[in-house]
Amino acid sequence: MNARESSETVPGEILKSLGELRTIIDTIPALAWSSAPDGCVDFVNRRWQDYTGQSKEQSQGAGWETAIHPEDLPGLLSKWEESRDRVADRCEARLRRFDGVFRWFSLRREPLLDESGSVTRWFGTGIDIEAIRQRETLHAAEQRTLELIADGASLKEVLDQLCSSMDVQVAPSVTTVLLRDADRECLWHGGGLGVPHEWISAIIPVPIAEDGLCGRAAFLKERVIIPDVATDPKWPDEYREIAIRNGIRAAWSEPIVTKDDEVLGTFALYSHELRVPTEEDLALIQGAGHIARIAIERQRSQESLTAALEKIKNSEARLRQVIDAIPTLAWCNLPDGPNEFLNKRWHEYTGLSPEESNGWGWQVAFHPDDLPPLMERWSELLSSGESGEMEARLRRYDGAYRWFLIRVEPLRDETGRLLRWYGTSTDIEGLKQTEEKLREEERELRRITDAIPQAIVVQDPSGASIYANQAALDYTGLTAEDVISPGFRERIFHPDDLERLRDFRRLALARGLPFEIEQRALRKDGQYRWFLIRYNPFRNEKNEVIRWYATGTDIDDRVRAEERTRNENLALREQIDRDSMFEDIVGSSEELRSVLRQVAKVASSDSTVLILGETGTGKELIARAIHKRSNRAERAFIAVNCAAIPPSLIASELFGHEKGAFTGATQKRLGRFESANGGTIFLDEVGDLPADIQIALLRVLQEREIERIGASKPIPVDVRILAATHRDLNLLAAEGRFRQDLLYRLNVVPIKMPSLCERADDIPLLVEYFIGRFGKRVGKKFRTIDKRTLELFETYSWPGNIRELQNVIERAVILSEGDTILVDEAWLAGESPQSRDPKIALNEVLNRQEKEMIESVLAETAGRVSGLGGAAEKLGVPTRTLDSKIKRLGINKFRFKDPQSV
């Protein structure tokens, strides 16, 4: 090749190399520029142009200064002026994006020196650190918030400090926290000193409703954004003018919600300009709302355990969000992985020449321990063709290793074919040291946790233990190494409980929701004690469970007390079931047992039964018991209260009627006897039946057939008749008000129900039964009965029998507070003998006097009632009437007989 050909070839190669170099600079994931020694920019890469929206021509000279925030430009120019003498420097400033939004960047400048050491050019890079600054702001605010809480600051002081920290970040916009008033369903100002006083005074309290900003966010439990206060229909009209007057042009609000979906309040940002929030804006208020939630929950609970666990949570979250440092080393690799180009900074840092680091030679610069995982990750990226990050220690020219964050981006052509790999290596040694400091803070938090007297165990997502505080270790007598060793749970928990709860715990861990279990834990002295263990999940930013926090509370005394109570209740219930309970009939007295024995004997037959007794003694319950134990139990049981039906309608009710039988009979109707066909009919208060119905009933008993009103022929029925009354049917029959022949038909098997006074031993069981029934109905549980109440129950005469007792208990269950049943003495005093119906009192006196008179005459006649010189003759009453009175008054005439005459 002659000199002329050589001279033509060299410029072409140089131009080609320059083109490739520019491609490299345009592709690296950073803003890059170069300038003259005096700072006038003469080159910006493609990423600078895309970000700022400035062309190359607009950015040249001092044109780039228009992209710097006015508040940051003087400081930046001053610093660069101070470092004009060949000194590399780095500073931070806000850089305006093409859409007018400013973001924080780290700007690094390096000089290019000639042989004499003079600066010939400056080269610089800019790295977006907006997210880093925002996380730092949130971290600082969170740290300060936690410090204030630890120092005992009030919730107002904590929230004011939080809002002040956020105001610095979003100035001139301002932030505020509104807290929920659960009693009034509204929001009150909780913090934020920068919000105009006129605005706060106008809107507080804020109703939680579908309109507005913060009230709507709390109502919907979701973020609300108002980009233009003046026109947005969701902004209340009455607050538009005052909002604009106070500089509020746009606003957005984030609800502060607990894990249990409880709204604690809202965190709001009031913007001084019309705009839609960016992702960073929303992340900021979301993070601030998260911090506010921590402050509110900690302030409310005031539990050191919650504070410690929440601080650990935040520490672990920060460990997983290592801040990216500014990339300073740039390189380019071929599609299959070998290196093609390393920039000057890389060679200067490592001390390796281009020849030594070319191809795969760059591997010698990495720490031997880090190289295998680094290459494994690099192979994964080569296979997937996707961008990625790696961390490894890189050896400096002096032999010192420092941690670097390695970012890789693929370059593809129009067809998607991979052309090159471009990447940067950023020094994160400082971040690693910060990470160690955070771990030290976590260890400090663990020391705080160890000081808490409650047992705490931290577990991984699968439920394996990784840490236990000192209280747990002291209880079990185990070491920290034992906690992380296999079989830890098997060593401390009762095997029966492990087996019983294994599936439940596994499913609960899989669901990822808080849960609790009760199981026995082995104490170091060999004794098992019951614990209530509450599991709470801790999640990362992806909402993945990365830790479980289990807290144990000793409930052994409570469990054993409950077990004793259950055993006692079970024994009592079995005794009641065996001796006292008969359907809904409660009691164990001999009087009641005698009745139940009669019921058991008569139930299996079809005989008519007449149940006698005072009002409220449970006659219908006895009738139902007879039916359920009869052969008709599967058929209908129809109860009819004869006294409650008007006399003009009782025939139609009992026997039915044909259509048109009387005025108003628009259709045929079946009577109660036909409805009960094949089953049982219960005629309550049968003594109140009119005379014509008594005749019809007598026909049913004799002929087993009925006749509807208006019908022309009888209808056969197969019905068992049970009757009841509180009246003296013998006396009514003697007076002509009840048919004697009907009485004979009904009184086949008489059963006399004792009054409550006669079965006073059953009162405690009845009281317990009614308390349980009515307590369950209203959702109350009672453990004891007031001693005075029991005394009142035992001494009261109960004229209304069981029905009166039931009503008193129901009233006491409704009105009693706590777990003790109380009865006001006035409830019974109103029904005491002194205030009872004078007619009832007079009847009792007359009955007593009548009984004494009849017994006196029977004693004179040696128990003889009829005949010459008999008691009936002496008293001047018919023999049948006297027999009825003797029976009604319960007089045993045989005890007056002369034994020698028997």
Side-chain angles (χ1 to χ4, degrees):
M1 179 182 298
N2 55 34
R4 181 177 179 180
E5 292 174 341
S6 176
S7 64
E8 292 176 352
T9 304
V10 170
E13 293 178 350
I14 292 174
L15 291 174
K16 181 180 179 182
S17 298
L18 288 175
E20 292 180 351
L21 180 59
R22 286 185 179 275
T23 300
I24 292 171
I25 295 174
D26 283 341
T27 309
I28 63 174
L31 310 185
W33 73 90
S34 66
S35 64
D38 62 356
C40 292
V41 171
D42 55 12
F43 169 78
V44 291
N45 71 345
R46 173 58 59 184
R47 286 186 180 266
W48 170 279
Q49 298 173 50
D50 293 342
Y51 178 83
T52 63
Q54 292 181 340
S55 65
K56 292 181 179 180
E57 293 75 15
Q58 292 173 325
S59 302
Q60 288 179 348
W64 61 273
E65 295 179 3
T66 60
I68 306 299
H69 195 285
E71 296 178 1
D72 302 338
L73 183 60
L76 175 64
L77 294 176
S78 175
K79 184 169 183 179
W80 281 2
E81 179 66 25
E82 295 173 358
S83 62
R84 294 183 63 177
D85 298 334
R86 306 189 301 266
V87 179
D89 54 24
R90 182 177 66 85
C91 59
E92 296 180 356
R94 285 167 287 183
L95 193 60
R96 187 185 62 220
R97 201 166 58 192
F98 63 88
D99 58 0
V101 175
F102 284 95
R103 294 178 65 86
W104 280 98
F105 274 73
S106 176
L107 306 177
R108 186 177 184 90
R109 194 172 66 158
E110 293 279 350
L112 177 63
L113 308 178
D114 60 14
E115 295 177 355
S116 65
S118 299
V119 176
T120 61
R121 297 188 68 76
W122 289 96
F123 296 95
T125 58
I127 303 301
D128 188 328
I129 60 170
E130 178 69 24
I132 296 174
R133 288 293 296 261
Q134 194 172 94
R135 286 195 292 269
E136 288 176 347
T137 298
L138 287 175
H139 172 72
E142 181 178 11
Q143 196 67 27
R144 179 56 181 156
T145 300
L146 297 177
E147 290 174 358
L148 288 174
I149 293 174
D151 292 341
S154 67
L155 182 59
K156 179 77 167 62
E157 294 172 335
V158 172
L159 297 181
D160 283 341
Q161 174 63 32
L162 173 61
C163 291
S164 298
S165 300
M166 296 300 105
D167 291 349
V168 172
Q169 179 75 9
V170 302
S173 300
V174 294
T175 59
T176 184
V177 176
L178 301 185
L179 300 178
R180 178 187 180 189
D181 185 341
D183 295 334
R184 296 182 56 185
E185 283 299 308
C186 61
L187 301 172
W188 293 88
H189 185 234
L193 301 175
V195 181
H197 179 72
E198 181 187 10
W199 170 250
I200 289 298
S201 300
I203 66 170
I204 296 300
V206 177
I208 298 177
E210 294 189 58
D211 298 325
L213 178 69
C214 294
R216 180 178 176 84
F219 180 81
L220 299 177
K221 298 183 181 179
E222 62 184 32
R223 183 185 301 135
V224 174
I225 299 174
I226 306 293
D228 186 353
V229 169
T231 61
D232 197 296
K234 294 195 292 287
W235 191 274
D237 293 334
E238 62 267 26
Y239 295 127
R240 292 189 196 278
E241 181 180 348
I242 189 173
I244 296 173
R245 185 167 67 246
N246 284 273
I248 300 175
R249 303 306 304 274
W252 41 93
S253 179
E254 181 82 11
I256 303 173
V257 183
T258 67
K259 294 179 181 179
D260 298 328
D261 205 34
E262 176 190 1
V263 176
L264 301 178
T266 61
F267 188 94
L269 185 146
Y270 297 121
S271 174
H272 69 293
E273 59 183 1
L274 303 180
R275 68 188 184 97
V276 176
T278 64
E279 292 183 1
E280 288 80 5
D281 293 331
L282 298 179
L284 182 66
I285 67 168
Q286 184 178 14
H290 171 68
I291 297 173
R293 178 175 66 81
I294 294 174
I296 296 169
E297 287 183 337
R298 291 190 180 187
Q299 185 73 14
R300 285 185 173 185
S301 64
Q302 298 181 351
E303 293 181 359
S304 58
L305 173 61
T306 304
L309 292 179
E310 189 67 22
K311 197 169 183 181
I312 290 174
K313 172 184 175 182
N314 295 334
S315 297
E316 291 184 348
R318 291 193 295 271
L319 290 176
R320 292 188 302 272
Q321 299 172 352
V322 179
I323 302 174
D324 296 335
I326 302 171
T328 55
L329 309 184
W331 44 268
C332 171
N333 282 20
L334 297 173
D336 57 350
N339 176 257
E340 183 182 29
F341 166 79
L342 294 161
N343 71 348
K344 181 180 178 182
R345 178 68 177 174
W346 197 96
H347 293 298
E348 289 177 350
Y349 181 86
T350 62
L352 296 176
S353 65
E355 293 75 15
E356 291 173 323
S357 53
N358 194 32
W360 297 100
W362 54 269
Q363 298 182 37
V364 300
F366 286 94
H367 195 287
D369 294 342
D370 300 340
L371 188 58
L374 176 66
M375 294 305 298
E376 181 181 355
R377 175 62 176 155
W378 181 224
S379 297
E380 293 175 358
L381 294 178
L382 291 174
S383 301
S384 66
E386 298 177 351
S387 59
E389 296 180 355
M390 298 168 281
E391 292 183 4
R393 284 168 289 182
L394 191 62
R395 186 185 63 210
R396 201 165 57 190
Y397 63 89
D398 59 0
Y401 284 95
R402 293 179 64 84
W403 280 99
F404 275 75
L405 173 65
I406 304 167
R407 288 176 173 156
V408 185
E409 289 285 345
L411 175 65
R412 302 179 183 275
D413 62 14
E414 295 79 1
T415 64
R417 183 171 62 90
L418 182 64
L419 301 178
R420 294 285 189 278
W421 290 95
Y422 292 98
T424 58
S425 300
T426 305
D427 190 327
I428 59 170
E429 182 68 25
L431 292 178
K432 286 294 184 179
Q433 294 176 357
T434 301
E435 185 180 31
E436 178 59 31
K437 183 178 180 181
L438 290 176
R439 276 196 290 266
E440 177 58 32
E441 291 178 0
E442 182 177 358
R443 287 192 288 269
E444 176 63 24
L445 287 177
R446 289 192 173 187
R447 286 192 287 270
I448 294 174
T449 305
D450 285 341
I452 298 173
Q454 191 175 24
I456 304 171
V457 177
V458 183
Q459 301 174 348
D460 66 15
S462 67
S465 302
I466 59 177
Y467 165 74
N469 73 338
Q470 194 60 45
L473 298 179
D474 291 343
Y475 178 86
T476 60
L478 301 177
T479 64
E481 291 72 20
D482 295 329
V483 173
I484 61 176
S485 63
F488 170 68
R489 288 177 49 78
E490 287 73 12
R491 293 180 64 179
I492 64 171
F493 292 121
H494 197 286
D496 293 346
D497 297 339
L498 288 174
E499 180 66 26
R500 173 174 56 88
L501 298 170
R502 179 177 289 109
D503 291 340
F504 172 80
R505 180 174 178 271
R506 176 175 53 80
L507 294 175
L509 290 173
R511 283 194 296 268
L513 299 175
F515 67 97
E516 60 184 38
I517 58 177
E518 294 183 3
Q519 59 186 137
R520 288 161 289 183
L522 183 64
R523 199 165 57 187
K524 59 185 176 182
D525 61 0
Q527 297 295 320
Y528 281 102
R529 293 185 64 83
W530 281 97
F531 275 76
L532 172 64
I533 303 176
R534 292 187 173 93
Y535 286 78
N536 285 288
F538 171 57
R539 302 177 182 274
N540 60 13
E541 65 278 0
K542 297 180 182 179
N543 203 34
E544 299 170 337
V545 175
I546 60 172
R547 290 287 187 276
W548 283 97
Y549 293 100
T551 58
T553 304
D554 191 323
I555 58 170
D556 192 73
D557 294 340
R558 190 204 75 189
V559 171
R560 296 186 185 281
E562 291 175 351
E563 182 65 24
R564 286 195 299 270
T565 302
R566 278 195 298 270
N567 291 338
E568 292 170 358
N569 288 342
L570 179 61
L572 179 59
R573 183 58 57 196
E574 290 176 350
Q575 179 66 27
I576 292 174
D577 289 342
R578 184 173 59 252
D579 298 334
S580 305
M581 298 302 294
F582 198 87
E583 302 296 334
D584 290 329
I585 303 168
V586 180
S588 61
S589 64
E590 181 55 37
E591 290 80 5
L592 182 61
R593 286 176 177 166
S594 176
V595 171
L596 297 181
R597 284 194 293 269
Q598 289 180 275
V599 169
K601 292 177 181 179
V602 76
S604 59
S605 69
D606 269 351
S607 300
T608 303
V609 178
L610 179 61
I611 306 171
L612 305 170
E614 298 177 9
T615 300
T617 53
K619 295 187 288 295
E620 184 173 345
L621 289 179
I622 293 297
R624 290 184 180 275
I626 293 173
H627 171 71
K628 288 183 179 181
R629 280 160 177 73
S630 70
N631 298 328
R632 301 172 181 264
E634 300 299 324
R635 306 302 295 271
F637 176 86
I638 305 296
V640 182
N641 188 338
C642 300
I645 304 174
S648 60
L649 298 178
I650 193 166
S652 175
E653 281 291 324
L654 291 178
F655 308 118
H657 62 257
E658 296 290 345
K659 180 178 179 180
F662 51 83
T663 302
T666 58
Q667 60 183 3
K668 182 177 72 173
R669 179 186 179 188
L670 300 181
R672 300 295 183 91
F673 272 93
E674 285 186 84
S675 299
N677 193 28
T680 304
I681 190 169
F682 173 57
L683 301 177
D684 196 9
E685 300 301 344
V686 70
D688 293 330
L689 285 176
D692 57 333
I693 303 301
Q694 293 181 28
I695 297 174
L697 179 59
L698 180 62
R699 179 180 179 182
V700 175
L701 290 169
Q702 290 177 340
E703 308 297 336
R704 295 294 174 180
E705 60 184 21
I706 64 168
E707 191 171 312
R708 298 194 197 112
I709 299 176
S712 58
K713 60 180 180 179
I715 301 172
V717 291
D718 176 20
V719 178
R720 182 179 188 179
I721 297 177
L722 305 179
T725 183
H726 72 285
R727 296 176 176 275
D728 185 344
L729 295 184
N730 287 315
L731 181 59
L732 293 177
E735 295 172 352
R737 290 189 289 163
F738 197 84
R739 293 184 63 89
Q740 190 75 46
D741 49 358
L742 178 59
L743 175 58
Y744 292 151
R745 288 288 185 180
L746 292 175
N747 199 25
V748 176
V749 180
I751 296 179
K752 175 70 166 63
M753 284 297 296
S755 65
L756 187 55
C757 284
E758 294 173 330
R759 43 180 295 209
D761 293 343
D762 291 335
I763 291 179
L765 289 177
L766 288 165
V767 170
E768 179 190 0
Y769 172 75
F770 288 133
I771 289 175
R773 191 171 80 178
F774 295 127
K776 183 177 181 181
R777 184 182 301 172
V778 300
K780 291 184 179 181
K781 289 186 178 181
F782 297 94
R783 297 181 180 275
T784 58
I785 304 174
D786 181 63
K787 183 178 180 181
R788 175 59 181 158
T789 297
L790 282 176
E791 294 176 354
L792 285 173
F793 285 166
E794 292 173 355
T795 57
Y796 185 54
S797 61
W798 299 110
N801 292 293
I802 298 175
R803 185 176 295 120
E804 181 184 6
L805 174 63
Q806 174 181 331
N807 294 339
V808 171
I809 295 298
E810 184 174 7
R811 187 190 310 175
V813 167
I814 295 172
L815 299 181
S816 293
E817 299 178 355
D819 59 358
T820 301
I821 280 287
L822 295 172
V823 171
D824 191 338
E825 188 173 357
W827 301 350
L828 303 181
E831 299 168 339
S832 63
Q834 289 80 358
S835 60
R836 290 168 58 191
D837 189 340
K839 294 180 180 179
I840 298 175
L842 179 59
N843 285 337
E844 290 180 352
V845 172
L846 293 176
N847 287 338
R848 184 169 59 254
Q849 292 178 348
E850 187 177 23
K851 182 177 181 181
E852 293 175 354
M853 184 182 298
I854 294 174
E855 288 180 340
S856 175
V857 173
L858 287 173
E860 294 178 6
T861 62
R864 186 157 55 88
V865 176
S866 59
L868 185 62
E873 181 184 5
K874 288 183 175 290
L875 292 171
V877 296
T879 301
R880 181 180 297 175
T881 301
L882 181 57
D883 281 335
S884 176
K885 289 181 178 291
I886 290 173
K887 195 171 189 178
R888 176 173 60 83
L889 296 174
I891 299 173
N892 183 5
K893 60 184 178 181
F894 296 103
R895 65 189 180 93
F896 301 102
K897 295 284 187 179
D898 184 356
Q900 295 180 356
S901 63
V902 178

